[in-house]
């Protein structure tokens, strides 16, 4: 016969466990309901490098790359970008090599398509080579990947790349036109970040490219300071310029717990 005291203790433990799981469930639901920003440089640095090269040069990409079937609305025909096994060129120039799976364009002529170099002449460049080989089984790149083994850019990066390629298919250099219309120039000195904004359904709303451009006559506190002007790409691939300024913090408004009034 069961001890009533033990039965009561077991019920208390079960209720406590349910309360804990309920609390965690409420916390996770609250977090999921909020949109958030992700700095792609930290989540997928190799993908961020590829995007920073592709977006400013989208209008000048070769047709096989501009017309690539990528993750955005591609159904089962999803192409993958991956860091090449020989990701480091071994030369003085900074060059990262990638391969792009093109299953929808698998032809015997593909092996004669030359790799394309993308990026500023006086800055880091990337090289993309098409392949007919499947990259599905290749693992995603981690933050510590250095190019010795092939690895895919993250699914988030692939989605943003799909958007960038989507806006490049007409071959027009919308990026150059945007800079000229806003009196901006490319910035080869500032540190660059790719910030992806997701809504509460984890769908990409827009992507900001920080440090990519600066005002032609903009006054900055240091040569490598980051401009407030940011290139924004919306979910349809359209480009615009926005301003992201750091919020000013008033040190006098900061109070510690022991300073609070009783």
């Amino acid at each position: 016969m069961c001890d009533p005291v033990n039965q009561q203790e077991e019920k208390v433990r079960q209720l406590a466990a349910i309360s804990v799981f309920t609390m965690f469930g409420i916390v996770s639901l609250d977090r999921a309901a909020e949109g958030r920003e992700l700095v792609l440089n930290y989540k997928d640095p190799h993908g961020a490098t590829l995007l920073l090269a592709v977006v400013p040069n989208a209008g000048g990409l070769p047709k096989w790359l501009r017309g690539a079937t990528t993750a955005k609305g591609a159904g089962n025909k999803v192409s993958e970008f991956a860091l090449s096994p020989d990701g480091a060129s071994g030369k003085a120039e900074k060059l990262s090599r990638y391969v792009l799976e093109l299953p929808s364009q698998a032809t015997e002529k593909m092996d004669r398509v030359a790799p394309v170099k993308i990026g500023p002449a006086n800055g880091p460049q990337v090289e993309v080579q098409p392949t007919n080989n499947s990259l599905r089984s290749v693992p995603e790149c981690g933050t510590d990947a250095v190019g010795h083994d092939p690895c895919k850019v993250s699914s988030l990066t692939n989605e943003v790349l799909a958007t960038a390629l989507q806006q490049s298919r007409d071959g027009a250099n919308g990026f150059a036109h945007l800079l000229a219309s806003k009196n901006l120039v490319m910035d080869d000195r500032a540190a660059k970040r790719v910030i992806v904004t997701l809504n509460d359904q984890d769908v990409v709303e827009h992507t900001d490219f920080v440090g990519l451009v600066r005002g032609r006559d903009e006054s900055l506190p240091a040569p490598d300071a980051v401009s407030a002007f940011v290139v924004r790409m919306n979910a349809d691939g359209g480009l615009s310029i926005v301003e992201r300024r750091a919020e000013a913090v008033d040190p006098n408004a900061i109070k510690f717990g022991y300073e609070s009034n009783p």
Side-chain angles (χ1 to χ4, degrees):
M1 187 172 181
C2 295
D3 186 346
V5 175
N6 291 338
Q7 286 183 336
Q8 185 66 24
E9 289 178 350
E10 180 62 25
K11 287 182 180 179
V12 171
R13 282 195 295 269
Q14 290 177 354
L15 288 173
I18 292 172
S19 299
V20 170
F21 283 122
T22 302
M23 179 182 68
F24 283 145
I26 292 173
V27 171
S28 64
L29 285 174
D30 287 343
R31 288 179 178 174
E34 299 177 357
R36 67 186 195 279
E37 290 185 340
L38 289 176
V39 181
L40 200 61
N41 304 58
Y42 304 145
K43 174 180 174 57
D44 183 4
H46 304 291
T49 298
L50 183 56
L51 272 166
L52 286 165
V54 167
V55 169
N57 299 281
L61 299 176
K63 289 184 178 180
W64 62 264
L65 185 50
R66 283 193 284 118
T69 302
T70 49
K72 194 178 181 68
N76 294 325
K77 297 181 179 179
V78 178
S79 298
E80 299 281 0
F81 280 92
L83 195 67
S84 174
D86 56 345
S89 66
K91 301 178 182 178
E93 62 178 341
K94 295 181 179 179
L95 180 68
S96 299
R97 290 195 171 97
Y98 297 81
V99 290
L100 170 63
E101 175 191 350
L102 294 177
S104 63
Q105 300 181 19
T107 67
E108 58 184 16
K109 297 180 181 179
M110 190 57 68
D111 59 352
R112 296 199 295 269
V113 175
V116 58
K117 286 186 179 181
I118 313 168
N122 58 344
Q125 293 186 325
V126 303
E127 182 179 274
V128 181
Q129 169 71 57
T131 180
N132 291 333
N133 298 325
S134 175
L135 301 174
R136 298 291 179 88
S137 61
V138 176
E140 280 196 0
C141 295
T143 55
D144 58 345
V146 293
H148 296 307
D149 298 311
C151 57
K152 294 185 297 186
V153 299
S154 67
S155 57
L156 177 60
T157 297
N158 212 39
E159 181 179 349
V160 179
L161 278 164
T163 303
L165 292 176
Q166 175 184 335
Q167 63 95 10
S168 74
R169 283 175 185 152
D170 60 1
N173 197 344
F175 186 85
H177 176 74
L178 179 66
L179 265 59
S181 66
K182 301 293 185 180
N183 199 27
L184 301 172
V185 295
M186 290 291 293
D187 192 335
D188 59 356
R189 293 171 290 184
K192 294 164 178 55
R193 290 182 298 154
V194 180
I195 302 177
V196 183
T197 300
L198 305 170
N199 64 15
D200 58 354
Q201 301 297 317
D202 276 348
V203 176
V204 176
E205 288 188 337
H206 56 260
T207 304
D208 288 345
F209 299 89
V210 180
L212 194 58
V213 300
R214 65 172 61 200
R216 189 180 299 276
D217 302 317
E218 186 177 6
S219 177
L220 295 173
D224 59 348
V226 176
S227 169
F229 296 109
V230 172
V231 178
R232 172 167 293 181
M233 183 173 66
N234 64 27
D236 296 324
L239 298 176
S240 61
I241 300 295
V242 299
E243 290 190 47
R244 290 179 64 108
R245 296 188 182 276
E247 294 184 3
V249 178
D250 181 3
N252 296 320
I254 300 175
K255 291 186 178 295
F256 296 96
Y258 62 83
E259 296 179 307
S260 302
N261 293 327

